[in-house]
Amino acid sequence: MPEHHHEHHPNISADLIWEIARTNNAFLVKRRSGGGVQFSRDPFNLVNKHSRKHAGFVNDKAVGILPGAKGGLTLTTKKTKHSNRPIANINEVKFGADKSGPKIYKNIVNVTAKQGYRADLRQDAVARASAIKMSSRPVKETPDKKIRGAKAKKATAKE
């Protein structure tokens, strides 16, 4: 007898959840400055924009990238299988600070592509990983500016 795999279909559509929660939810950040712009603090929102496309709490398959411990980063993905169990609904992949940027980006693309995540999120995921990786680098001290031209000639003449 063939084995049947049943997919879990939630009772409420993602569009309905968005219409109900878009004006007021825990992740929404409203600012009066800048023409009343709205941002999102959703950990599955890669661009921090308050929109249906980027809202991770609404979508069944979402990708989140967060800074990890000691300069690393964490790729978090939502599973569709356990939508009513928040802890079992999340899959995490941790990357250490010693792993190179291109390897991390390739892994992010592979994880999202092989698991059938939305292709439009891949570029945003790589961009966010790149920004987090760059921000964790130590800042170089700016060297003193060299005097050039006529001022340099005057300075060498005085010495």
Side-chain angles (χ1 to χ4, degrees):
M1 193 164 182
E3 205 175 301
H4 293 285
H5 294 286
H6 298 285
E7 289 186 31
H8 175 72
H9 295 288
N11 294 334
I12 302 172
S13 73
D15 291 323
L16 181 60
I17 293 171
W18 174 251
E19 286 300 318
I20 292 169
R22 76 183 167 99
T23 55
N24 191 12
N25 63 65
F27 303 116
L28 179 60
V29 180
K30 295 181 179 179
R31 293 287 180 255
R32 289 192 180 131
S33 61
V37 69
Q38 294 181 344
F39 296 107
S40 176
R41 286 195 179 118
D42 186 0
F44 289 105
N45 189 327
L46 294 169
V47 293
N48 294 339
K49 220 184 254 185
H50 180 68
S51 69
R52 166 71 177 90
K53 176 183 174 183
H54 298 292
F57 72 95
V58 172
N59 294 314
D60 291 334
K61 285 194 167 187
V63 179
I65 296 181
L66 300 169
K70 298 178 183 173
L73 53 96
T74 305
L75 168 67
T76 312
T77 53
K78 275 176 76 174
K79 300 178 200 171
T80 55
K81 192 174 181 182
H82 303 293
S83 60
N84 59 341
R85 292 164 49 195
I87 298 299
N89 192 19
I90 294 172
N91 183 31
E92 285 187 349
V93 179
K94 297 183 187 224
F95 300 102
D98 57 333
K99 194 151 201 166
S100 71
K103 282 186 179 180
I104 291 173
Y105 310 147
K106 188 171 190 240
N107 280 332
I108 289 170
V109 170
N110 285 342
V111 166
T112 55
K114 287 177 183 171
Q115 293 179 359
Y117 282 85
R118 293 180 10 221
D120 61 330
L121 294 179
R122 284 185 207 140
Q123 188 174 0
D124 293 334
V126 170
R128 186 168 181 100
S130 176
I132 291 172
K133 189 89 174 140
M134 290 289 286
S135 69
S136 65
R137 277 186 177 170
V139 180
K140 288 184 181 178
E141 293 182 24
T142 54
D144 296 331
K145 289 189 175 183
K146 293 180 180 176
I147 306 169
R148 300 182 186 278
K151 289 182 181 177
K153 289 179 184 173
K154 284 183 186 177
T156 55
K158 286 182 182 178
E159 292 175 1

